[in-house]
């Protein structure tokens, strides 16, 4: 009897799982007019996107060089410092991209600002500092670059920061596309943008 119950439960779970997943991940469609508005800013429908902003990754210098080379958008990664500042960084640590060591979440903004995020890419990139999200957004607006913001870190902090940023700058709704692995976060950003 127990084995039959387990079999039925397992079979029911297998049958129900796709329906549960569809329900959990079925959010309203993103309105076509938002996509069209975003794409109208491209060059004849083609938009070269600088992955991680270019070289050295996630730096303001990379954004400037990417714009000069014809990019109309940059993809950037968001993490948070120990003292809660949103900064651009792909990895959980600063080890690969800077002359420092340690998890960005264990470093303060002041500590991270002392690191060189260009030197490992070559002497011509020496002196690049990690930008805050606001600095990156300011420069992207100045350079007329679209932004793909990849949420890598704390999802709740990211949501609060995005809401604050969108609240202060409503025009960003047509300039920033949020990318992440959490459908619920994308949904909440979308809901906030309506």
């Amino acid at each position: 009897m127990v084995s039959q119950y387990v079999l039925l439960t397992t079979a029911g779970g297998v049958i129900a799982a796709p329906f549960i997943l569809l329900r959990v991940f079925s959010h309203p469609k993103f309105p076509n007019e938002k996509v069209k508005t975003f794409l109208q800013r491209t060059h004849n429908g083609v938009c070269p996107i600088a992955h991680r902003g270019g070289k050295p990754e996630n730096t303001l210098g990379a954004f400037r060089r990417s714009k000069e080379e014809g990019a109309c958008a940059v993809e950037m990664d968001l993490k948070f410092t120990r003292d809660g500042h949103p900064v651009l960084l792909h990895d959980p640590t600063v080890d690969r991209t800077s002359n420092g060591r340690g998890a960005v979440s264990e470093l303060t903004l002041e500590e991270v600002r002392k690191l060189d995020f260009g030197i490992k890419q070559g002497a011509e990139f020496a002196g690049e500092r990690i930008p805050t999200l606001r600095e990156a957004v300011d420069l992207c607006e100045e350079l007329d670059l679209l932004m793909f913001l990849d949420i890598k870190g704390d999802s709740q902090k990211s949501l609060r920061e995005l809401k604050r940023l969108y609240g202060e700058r409503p025009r960003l709704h047509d300039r920033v596309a949020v990318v992440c692995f959490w459908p619920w976060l994308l949904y909440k950003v979308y809901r906030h943008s309506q």
Side-chain angles (χ1 to χ4, degrees):
M1 197 65 153
V2 170
S3 62
Q4 288 175 337
Y5 176 74
V6 170
L7 183 61
L8 284 174
T9 303
T10 303
V14 169
I15 292 169
F19 295 106
I20 292 169
L21 286 173
L22 281 172
R23 177 65 184 125
V24 168
F25 293 111
S26 64
H27 299 297
K29 290 182 179 180
F30 198 72
N32 286 337
E33 63 273 4
K34 287 276 190 189
V35 174
K36 287 177 186 172
T37 301
F38 196 78
L39 290 177
Q40 284 171 350
R41 302 190 57 81
T42 65
H43 308 294
N44 297 322
V46 176
C47 178
I49 302 168
H51 183 244
R52 297 185 192 161
K55 182 177 179 179
E57 64 185 62
N58 285 306
T59 64
L60 300 181
F63 294 178
R64 287 185 191 97
R65 281 184 284 287
S66 294
K67 177 65 176 184
E68 290 169 7
E69 293 172 5
C72 74
V74 291
E75 179 265 347
M76 58 185 94
D77 304 291
L78 184 64
K79 295 277 190 181
F80 288 86
T81 60
R82 183 178 74 211
D83 48 351
H85 292 277
V87 295
L88 303 191
L89 188 67
H90 178 270
D91 300 352
T93 70
V94 298
D95 302 11
R96 180 180 63 85
T97 54
S98 80
N99 61 345
R101 296 192 61 72
V104 70
S105 62
E106 296 300 320
L107 300 169
T108 64
L109 180 61
E110 183 180 349
E111 292 168 331
V112 170
R113 291 281 202 180
K114 293 177 183 174
L115 303 177
D116 188 331
F117 282 82
I119 194 67
K120 286 190 173 181
Q121 294 295 315
E124 69 271 24
F125 300 114
E128 286 285 348
R129 302 291 175 227
I130 194 170
T132 64
L133 176 60
R134 288 177 190 275
E135 291 168 339
V137 168
D138 286 345
L139 182 63
C140 287
E141 284 191 301
E142 178 186 320
L143 297 175
D144 195 30
L145 286 167
L146 296 172
M147 295 161 265
F148 288 85
L149 184 59
D150 194 347
I151 306 299
K152 297 283 188 191
D154 186 308
S155 58
Q156 292 298 328
K157 283 183 185 176
S158 298
L159 182 59
R160 281 192 301 274
E161 186 61 30
L162 288 169
K163 284 181 176 181
R164 183 175 21 254
L165 196 60
Y166 283 139
E168 293 169 4
R169 304 178 190 194
R171 66 190 174 277
L172 291 181
H173 290 292
D174 294 331
R175 301 190 57 79
V176 178
V178 177
V179 181
C180 74
F181 290 108
W182 301 299
W184 68 267
L185 179 70
L186 293 174
Y187 179 67
K188 286 188 176 188
V189 169
Y190 163 71
R191 294 281 302 199
H192 180 72
S193 70
Q194 292 183 335

